[in-house]
Amino acid sequence: MRCSTALTLILGVVVSLNTTDAEQPEKPVETFMHAKLAHSQSILEGLAVEDFDQIAKSSQALTLLSEEAGWNVLQTAEYAHHSELFRRNTRALTETARRQNLEGATLAFIQVTLNCVECHKHIRSVQQARLDSPALPSRLGVVQ
Ligand code: HEC
């Protein structure tokens, strides 16, 4: 056995830590957005234990999520740009996982993670510009 059991335990702790703030019933947008986090955690687990099927399935799920209507929360050109980059990177991740290229998949996952951070930065800047009438109930770091 490799270190998969320990990693699964660690990931389990991470997942349970992330769900402890869900005391209030989640709104649909939040449920949708939190699915991204679950798929990302699953990709990390897949990378850690070299499970290419798990990586490919979860990154494909991310691509599909980003193609749904609910994804288009903001109607800015920059949001569309981040979404396009995100899809490109999740597709690259699926491809490298199918080719069983562990280093390539790890790098692609880093790109995807950078996309998460960049798009959320954009959302915060839009929301800060609209603090009088916030468009989104953000928990991405903006104090309202
Ligand atoms: C193209 C833009 C975009 C990308 C890329 C993106 N997100 Fe998001 N994310 C959003 C939007 C929009 C929201 C909703 C913000 C709000 O409610 O104010 C959101 C919200 C979230 C939330 C919920 C935050 C809360 O309110 O509790 C999580 C978790 C999340 N994203 C995770 C991720 C992860 C993980 C990735 C990368 C795999 C990612 N996101 C990539 C646009 C994006």
Side-chain angles (χ1 to χ4, degrees):
M1 187 186 64
R2 290 166 299 183
C3 54
S4 56
T5 310
L7 279 162
T8 306
L9 279 175
I10 291 166
L11 286 167
V13 171
V14 171
V15 170
S16 60
L17 282 177
N18 275 324
T19 47
T20 47
D21 70 341
E23 282 128 30
Q24 295 179 336
E26 287 195 322
K27 299 186 193 87
V29 171
E30 286 175 14
T31 312
F32 183 85
M33 295 299 171
H34 272 279
K36 288 182 296 187
L37 189 58
H39 293 311
S40 305
Q41 283 164 336
S42 167
I43 293 168
L44 179 59
E45 185 179 21
L47 287 169
V49 301
E50 208 179 305
D51 184 336
F52 291 111
D53 280 347
Q54 180 168 343
I55 301 166
K57 265 187 210 147
S58 302
S59 63
Q60 207 175 15
L62 281 179
T63 309
L64 289 174
L65 264 185
S66 74
E67 286 166 349
E68 283 185 31
W71 180 272
N72 297 317
V73 174
L74 289 186
Q75 306 295 327
T76 63
E78 196 175 335
Y79 190 84
H81 175 67
H82 286 304
S83 301
E84 189 44 48
L85 280 182
F86 184 77
R87 277 189 279 274
R88 202 178 302 163
N89 288 323
T90 52
R91 284 196 196 110
L93 177 53
T94 308
E95 268 313 298
T96 46
R98 284 190 182 138
R99 281 190 262 114
Q100 312 223 325
N101 174 351
L102 189 62
E103 279 71 31
T106 307
L107 287 175
F109 181 60
I110 292 170
Q111 291 296 330
V112 169
T113 310
L114 286 173
N115 281 145
C116 312
V117 175
E118 287 302 317
C119 186
H120 289 183
K121 256 166 76 177
H122 169 59
I123 294 163
R124 280 195 297 270
S125 72
V126 170
Q127 285 173 335
Q128 259 151 359
R130 288 185 193 161
L131 273 187
D132 320 327
S133 54
L136 299 163
S138 180
R139 282 190 277 139
L140 297 177
V142 178
V143 180
Q144 289 175 3

